[in-house]
């Protein structure tokens, strides 16, 4: 007997298989997956609990994964959401994903492997999601992914601009590479203006495949930063995403304060030099677009800087003092050492 919905290009059975896959591969053994709504009980211990939410996607980076390298893009999606929540001083609680495609098949499970791993790194529960099969909107191989996350903080502990003070020290934490921003430009530089592909080996990248650098997943900073938040050692956090330094660092600054940063204080991932070279991009423009090797910048009291730095570098994390906060006529950023 024919199935009219399947004949139209939508196989509902494939969606049931995805729900079963998530149930079998997550540590959360609640009955959330498959319900009409995800449930989460607010944890105890908060005097004035405030929920902080974020939603995001991964932009055109997804176009680089259609060759089958799908197991990290879910980490990117989780990271873009939970790192924003962390920047407000909150602990991520849970995450939901939305994946749309022309055909639900094994690629969805591969994407969800990354989502599950991202949630593990963030300490967040995957409490639900949606997989939408949309023939004619997407091809069988194309897809999009978006995420939504909620975190929690005590009202008195939320990081506000007013917390950042004159004389605060700025500490930068290493990124894992390009993260998930600027990929429309990245694709133009390498695949349109130049004749590279994902398997190209560049001497500037130690003869490693270009795709290894371009698909490196976004670093999730929860395990590094949350202990510092609990100790109340952080005044402000800037998550360096789209818009680079110039857009994101001023977002944590109060009126009359500027961030003075020496760009020679930390090593840069080689991919940024390669992007600058083959894209013929001015160095100042690079800081307008990319994270330039720092995924997060923390503002901390000068008396706490050594402790914060020691905590961040006690494991594999790389962090450096990169500048400070000074009084200024406007909330701005001053980069020293940029040609």
């Amino acid at each position: 007997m024919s199935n009219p919905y399947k004949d139209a290009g939508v196989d509902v059975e494939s969606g049931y298989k995805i729900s079963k896959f998530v149930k079998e591969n997550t540590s959360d053994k609640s009955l959330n997956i498959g319900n009409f709504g995800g449930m989460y009980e607010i944890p105890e211990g908060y005097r004035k609990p405030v929920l902080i939410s974020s939603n995001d996607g991964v932009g055109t980076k997804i176009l680089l994964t259609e060759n089958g390298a799908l197991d990290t893009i879910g980490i990117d999606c989780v990271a873009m959401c939970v790192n924003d929540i962390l920047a407000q001083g909150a602990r991520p609680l849970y995450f939901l994903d939305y994946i749309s495609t022309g055909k639900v098949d094994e690629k969805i499970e591969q994407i969800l492997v990354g989502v599950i791993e991202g949630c593990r790194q963030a300490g967040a529960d995957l409490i639900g999601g949606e997989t939408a099969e949309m023939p004619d909107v997407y091809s069988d191989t194309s897809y999009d992914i978006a995420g939504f996350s909620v975190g929690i903080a005590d009202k008195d502990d939320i990081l506000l601009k007013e917390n950042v003070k004159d004389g605060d020290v700025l500490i930068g934490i290493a990124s894992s590479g390009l993260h998930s921003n600027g990929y429309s430009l990245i694709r133009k530089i390498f695949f349109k203006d130049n004749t590279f592909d994902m398997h190209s080996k560049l001497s500037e990248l130690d003869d490693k495949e270009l795709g290894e650098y371009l698909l490196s997943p976004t670093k999730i900073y929860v395990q590094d930063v949350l202990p510092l938040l609990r100790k109340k050692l952080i005044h402000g956090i800037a998550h360096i995403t789209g818009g680079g330094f110039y857009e994101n660092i001023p977002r944590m600054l109060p009126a009359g304060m500027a961030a003075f940063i020496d760009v020679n204080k930390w090593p840069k991932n080689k991919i940024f030099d390669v992007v600058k070279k083959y894209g013929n991009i001015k160095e100042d423009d690079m800081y307008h677009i990319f994270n330039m090797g720092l995924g997060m910048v923390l503002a901390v009291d000068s008396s706490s800087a050594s402790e914060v730095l020691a905590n961040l570098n006690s494991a594999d994390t790389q962090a450096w003092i990169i500048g400070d906060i000074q009084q200024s006529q406007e909330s701005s950023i001053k980069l020293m050492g940029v040609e």
Side-chain angles (χ1 to χ4, degrees), residues 96-171:
L96 298 94
D97 64 85
Y98 174 83
I99 304 172
S100 51
T101 182
K103 181 176 178 59
V104 173
D105 51 24
E106 62 275 2
K107 69 175 175 293
I108 303 300
E109 290 187 3
Q110 295 176 44
I111 295 167
L112 285 170
V113 166
V115 171
I116 293 167
E117 172 59 19
C119 288
R120 185 196 67 78
Q121 292 182 24
D125 288 338
L126 178 61
I127 67 167
E130 172 70 10
T131 302
E133 193 168 51
M134 302 168 63
D136 301 331
V137 176
Y138 298 91
S139 71
D140 286 357
T141 58
S142 64
Y143 72 95
D144 197 7
I145 179 172
F148 173 80
S149 189
V150 170
I152 191 169
D154 257 320
K155 186 174 183 179
D156 294 339
D157 295 334
I158 295 173
L159 298 183
L160 304 173
K161 292 181 178 182
E162 292 71 26
N163 298 353
V164 178
K165 308 296 182 184
D166 181 23
D168 277 355
V169 171
L170 295 174
I171 294 177

Side-chain angles (χ1 to χ4, degrees), residues 3 5-12 14 133-135:
N3 183 320
Y5 206 10
K6 190 172 184 178
D7 292 342
V10 179
D11 183 2
V12 295
S14 61
E133 193 168 51
M134 302 168 63

Side-chain angles (χ1 to χ4, degrees), residues 185-197 200 202 210 274-280:
L185 177 57
I186 292 296
R187 292 184 299 107
K188 177 179 182 295
I189 290 170
F190 291 120
F191 310 133
K192 296 179 182 179
D193 296 344
N194 293 278
T195 57
F196 300 122
D197 60 35
S200 295
L202 282 65
L210 179 60
V274 171
V275 170
K276 179 184 175 185
K277 174 183 176 180
Y278 289 99
N280 193 27

Side-chain angles (χ1 to χ4, degrees), residues 30-339:
S30 71
L31 300 178
N32 268 319
I33 306 301
N35 285 344
F36 289 102
M39 296 175 284
Y40 195 94
E41 185 175 358
I42 295 178
E44 297 179 353
Y46 292 88
R47 295 164 297 174
K48 299 178 181 178
V50 176
L51 298 180
I52 297 173
S53 58
S54 176
N55 69 301
D56 211 338
V58 297
T60 60
K61 188 175 185 178
I62 61 172
L63 296 175
L64 303 185
T65 67
E66 290 185 0
N67 64 354
L70 293 162
D71 58 335
T72 61
I73 202 73
I75 298 176
D76 287 301
C77 189
V78 175
M80 297 303 290
C81 295
V82 299
N83 285 343
D84 274 351
I85 288 172
L86 193 65
Q88 294 298 139
R91 173 174 73 92
L93 293 177
Y94 60 83
F95 180 85
L96 298 94
D97 64 85
Y98 174 83
I99 304 172
S100 51
T101 182
K103 181 176 178 59
V104 173
D105 51 24
E106 62 275 2
K107 69 175 175 293
I108 303 300
E109 290 187 3
Q110 295 176 44
I111 295 167
L112 285 170
V113 166
V115 171
I116 293 167
E117 172 59 19
C119 288
R120 185 196 67 78
Q121 292 182 24
D125 288 338
L126 178 61
I127 67 167
E130 172 70 10
T131 302
E133 193 168 51
M134 302 168 63
D136 301 331
V137 176
Y138 298 91
S139 71
D140 286 357
T141 58
S142 64
Y143 72 95
D144 197 7
I145 179 172
F148 173 80
S149 189
V150 170
I152 191 169
D154 257 320
K155 186 174 183 179
D156 294 339
D157 295 334
I158 295 173
L159 298 183
L160 304 173
K161 292 181 178 182
E162 292 71 26
N163 298 353
V164 178
K165 308 296 182 184
D166 181 23
D168 277 355
V169 171
L170 295 174
I171 294 177
I173 312 178
S175 67
S176 54
L178 293 164
H179 284 185
S180 300
N181 302 108
Y183 273 80
S184 294
L185 177 57
I186 292 296
R187 292 184 299 107
K188 177 179 182 295
I189 290 170
F190 291 120
F191 310 133
K192 296 179 182 179
D193 296 344
N194 293 278
T195 57
F196 300 122
D197 60 35
M198 295 291 282
H199 300 292
S200 295
K201 294 184 178 181
L202 282 65
S203 59
E204 299 94 335
L205 299 177
D206 299 325
D207 291 324
K208 294 181 180 179
E209 290 191 355
L210 179 60
E212 182 178 339
Y213 283 83
L214 300 188
L215 290 179
S216 179
T218 305
K219 179 175 172 59
I220 292 174
Y221 292 93
V222 175
Q223 295 181 29
D224 295 317
V225 174
L226 197 58
L228 302 174
L229 289 171
R230 288 171 176 155
K231 293 180 180 179
K232 305 185 188 302
L233 294 175
I234 300 177
H235 290 173
I237 299 177
H239 179 203
I240 312 302
T241 56
F245 279 53
Y246 284 99
E247 179 175 333
N248 291 292
I249 292 179
R251 293 169 69 179
M252 73 169 175
L253 300 177
M257 295 292 170
F260 286 76
I261 294 174
D262 184 345
V263 302
N264 296 309
K265 292 294 185 180
W266 70 94
K268 313 296 188 296
N269 188 305
K270 294 178 180 179
I271 190 62
F272 297 105
D273 290 333
V274 171
V275 170
K276 179 184 175 185
K277 174 183 176 180
Y278 289 99
N280 193 27
I281 302 174
K282 294 179 180 178
E283 188 173 10
D284 189 61
D285 288 336
M286 293 288 292
Y287 286 89
H288 275 280
I289 303 169
F290 302 108
N291 68 61
M292 296 305 289
L294 300 179
M296 277 198 167
V297 175
L298 315 181
V300 305
D301 191 275
S302 58
S303 64
S304 304
S306 295
E307 181 181 357
V308 170
L309 206 59
N311 274 266
L312 289 172
N313 288 324
S314 62
D316 295 330
T317 303
Q318 292 180 298
W320 306 268
I321 293 177
I322 62 170
D324 60 9
I325 301 294
Q326 300 178 26
Q327 289 186 344
S328 176
Q329 292 184 347
E330 57 182 12
S331 301
S332 62
I333 176 173
K334 312 291 184 184
L335 296 184
M336 297 168 284
V338 174
E339 298 177 0

